[in-house]
Amino acid sequence: MQKNRRKFLKNIGASAAASLAFPLQNWAQNSPPLKAAITDLLKIKSDTSEEYWETVASQFQFAEGINYFNNASLGACPLPIRKATNDFRNTLDDFPSKYMWGGWEGEKEETREKVADLFSVSKEEIALIHNTTEGMNLIARSLELNMDDEVILADHEHTSAVAPWTVWQEEKGIKLVRPVLPILPKTKEEIITIFKAAITPRTKVISICHIVNTNGMMFPIKEISKMAHENGILVAVDGAQGAGMVETSLKEMGCDFYTVSAHKWLFAPKGIGIFYAKQDSQKYLKPLIVARGYKDKSIRRLENYNTRNLPELLALGAAIDYRKAIGGSNIHQRTYALKHYFLEGIKRNPNIISKTPVNDELSAGIQVVELKGKDVKIVKEQLFDNYGIDSRPMSTFGLNAVRLSFAIFITKKNIDMLIDALDTIANT
């Protein structure tokens, strides 16, 4: 690890750190020092070796003794993106009025385009918002539904998806249909069948997670979107746990709306989000906030906050550049490699029970395990107190299990340490 860290510092530290030491004052020439950092990152050979991923891991920094397996709750920014964010902030404070109102218009649009490319859609279908919760509120508040219309929300949906439909629609007399999903489906057809059975002539919207936060179950969005559209139903996707973890082509998925908190699996700063609305479905949407420029007919009307935190917005673009330097396909494959490595490692202990669907079509980088006969709250405390492992206890749906996130800064050595810790706790 130390060798890899020196390798990283040699590649990115010498030229990039030197250039990043100065505030960004050359936007007019469109050559911010950030680009030097990303260029140096691209020079690091991308492959699937463990040495390569240890190099990636060295670009993240956590408090001493922390082994961070809780990315599904809150992601971390890699060091180059932390530096970029701070430099954007310094630039703004050096000349506030210039960079808040107009000085960064081109860079904002570059960020929008990078997001659009990431999801294989048009930049005219991307709004840059604050988080997934805002996106779900935007959808639920905008739609003009009638008394007794129905919205399908499966039982595993996140509170931030359920609450907007409850406040903005259920209280007007719209019915929320809550189908119950199995904890461990074996095929995606099992899930499709449940949603199909929930559809009635009154169904107007299916609001669904890409990947649920409870036990990491992943839904077949493409198939559900096709089925919904055949019945004249809109599809709104909570993508907080999908975008960045697995490759996501929204054009291929076919959903109408998809909303993301970029601080999770895209490793962007906190407080920046992404909202996708298919061109043909934008007519249903109204902004949550209106200000000067409210007559704008483009998707930008949904992000018209007047004053906002632009350094975080521009750092989202830097985070996507960083991700691109590693490779979306590389990250996708690495996610599944870690999943399989972990599941193979816990097989030997019958007291460690997986509570996440095994099928690769139904789960990815979030894995949830129960330790037989152990209270999850105590297991979580022991993992942290004895091993510095930060995880998330899950007790809903009878899980009694810890949720573990396998982000790009997790190495196989980290997984080995995690398995040893789980073995020890499970056997005592």
Side-chain angles (χ1 to χ4, degrees):
M1 179 68 76
Q2 189 63 32
K3 175 184 175 183
N4 294 327
R5 185 169 182 81
R6 286 196 299 269
K7 176 183 175 183
F8 164 65
L9 291 173
K10 180 180 177 182
N11 277 288
I12 201 168
S15 59
S19 58
L20 285 172
F22 300 97
L24 303 184
Q25 295 183 1
N26 55 347
W27 277 110
Q29 289 77 36
N30 195 30
S31 57
L34 169 63
K35 291 191 175 181
I38 298 301
T39 298
D40 282 344
L41 183 60
L42 286 167
K43 292 177 183 176
I44 301 174
K45 181 182 177 184
S46 293
D47 58 31
T48 57
S49 71
E50 196 60 21
E51 180 185 5
Y52 173 74
W53 291 106
E54 288 178 356
T55 300
V56 172
S58 73
Q59 299 172 23
F60 289 78
Q61 178 179 301
F62 297 97
E64 185 176 356
I66 296 296
N67 294 292
Y68 198 66
F69 284 89
N70 200 11
N71 200 83
S73 290
L74 199 66
C77 274
L79 294 170
I81 307 310
R82 291 195 202 183
K83 181 63 176 170
T85 308
N86 289 332
D87 285 336
F88 286 132
R89 188 172 294 115
N90 288 337
T91 299
L92 174 62
D93 286 328
D94 281 349
F95 197 164
S97 62
K98 175 182 177 181
Y99 289 101
M100 180 56 66
W101 296 306
W104 275 336
E105 283 306 307
E107 287 71 26
K108 286 165 61 178
E109 290 306 306
E110 280 184 32
T111 298
R112 190 188 314 280
E113 193 156 355
K114 289 173 184 177
V115 172
D117 288 345
L118 174 67
F119 293 120
S120 302
V121 297
S122 164
K123 71 173 185 176
E124 298 304 320
E125 296 176 306
I126 296 293
L128 302 172
I129 59 171
H130 293 104
N131 51 39
T132 306
T133 304
E134 179 184 338
M136 296 309 299
N137 271 272
L138 200 161
I139 300 162
R141 191 172 186 181
S142 291
L143 298 185
E144 296 182 2
L145 304 180
N146 299 314
M147 182 81 73
D148 297 326
D149 281 347
E150 296 175 359
V151 175
I152 295 175
L153 284 157
D155 60 338
H156 279 258
E157 294 300 304
H158 194 280
T159 303
S160 291
V162 177
W165 292 109
T166 302
V167 172
W168 304 123
Q169 297 293 351
E170 188 179 40
E171 292 180 3
K172 296 192 308 183
I174 279 69
K175 182 181 178 182
L176 302 187
V177 178
R178 306 301 308 277
V180 175
L181 297 168
I183 291 292
L184 294 172
K186 291 184 172 59
T187 67
K188 62 184 181 181
E189 284 71 27
E190 289 181 55
I191 296 173
I192 294 167
T193 298
I194 290 170
F195 278 93
K196 184 177 181 179
I199 293 174
T200 76
R202 302 295 300 179
T203 306
K204 302 301 179 186
V205 184
I206 295 176
S207 184
I208 184 172
C209 279
H210 187 176
I211 298 175
V212 302
N213 80 309
T214 49
N215 75 331
M217 180 165 38
M218 182 161 59
F219 292 148
I221 304 299
K222 179 180 177 180
E223 291 84 351
I224 290 172
S225 294
K226 183 176 183 295
M227 178 176 65
H229 292 153
E230 288 170 352
N231 290 276
I233 299 167
L234 295 170
V235 178
V237 180
D238 171 348
Q241 300 294 0
M245 180 205 298
V246 294
E247 288 198 288
T248 304
S249 170
L250 295 178
K251 188 173 183 179
E252 184 179 332
M253 276 188 178
C255 56
D256 297 277
F257 313 112
Y258 189 96
T259 184
V260 177
S261 293
H263 66 254
K264 292 183 185 285
W265 300 91
L266 290 173
F267 311 109
K270 286 67 183 164
I272 185 70
I274 297 164
F275 184 82
Y276 161 78
K278 187 190 295 184
Q279 194 77 54
D280 293 343
S281 302
Q282 290 180 26
K283 59 182 179 254
Y284 300 111
L285 301 174
K286 300 173 183 175
L288 289 172
I289 296 172
V290 292
R292 184 172 55 187
Y294 68 93
K295 292 183 179 180
D296 185 351
K297 300 298 182 183
S298 79
I299 198 167
R300 293 160 189 78
R301 72 187 187 278
L302 305 179
E303 59 180 50
N304 185 19
Y305 311 123
N306 206 350
T307 304
R308 67 176 304 184
N309 200 334
L310 292 180
E312 272 67 18
L313 186 154
L314 297 185
L316 167 61
I320 292 174
D321 285 342
Y322 176 84
R323 183 181 188 277
K324 188 175 180 180
I326 298 171
S329 178
N330 263 2
I331 293 172
H332 181 98
Q333 292 171 28
R334 174 64 172 182
T335 299
Y336 281 100
L338 291 177
K339 168 190 168 178
H340 297 154
Y341 188 79
F342 173 73
L343 292 179
E344 187 64 29
I346 64 172
K347 269 185 182 179
R348 63 179 182 262
N349 192 331
N351 293 322
I352 303 175
I353 305 165
S354 174
K355 292 292 185 176
T356 299
V358 174
N359 188 333
D360 280 351
E361 292 186 316
L362 297 177
S363 74
I366 296 174
Q367 296 294 310
V368 174
V369 294
E370 176 185 339
L371 272 56
K372 189 175 180 180
K374 305 287 184 180
D375 184 278
V376 66
K377 293 180 181 177
I378 295 174
V379 171
K380 187 263 189 294
E381 290 174 1
Q382 290 178 329
L383 283 172
F384 187 77
D385 291 344
N386 299 336
Y387 305 95
I389 295 171
D390 188 35
S391 62
R392 171 75 185 273
M394 305 303 295
S395 55
T396 56
F397 303 99
L399 285 172
N400 188 40
V402 287
R403 188 185 71 193
L404 304 160
S405 304
F406 302 151
I408 59 174
F409 49 77
I410 298 295
T411 66
K412 288 185 178 179
K413 289 178 183 176
N414 297 141
I415 298 283
D416 290 339
M417 181 270 298
L418 170 65
I419 293 171
D420 287 344
L422 291 171
D423 275 337
T424 301
I425 297 171
N427 293 335
T428 56

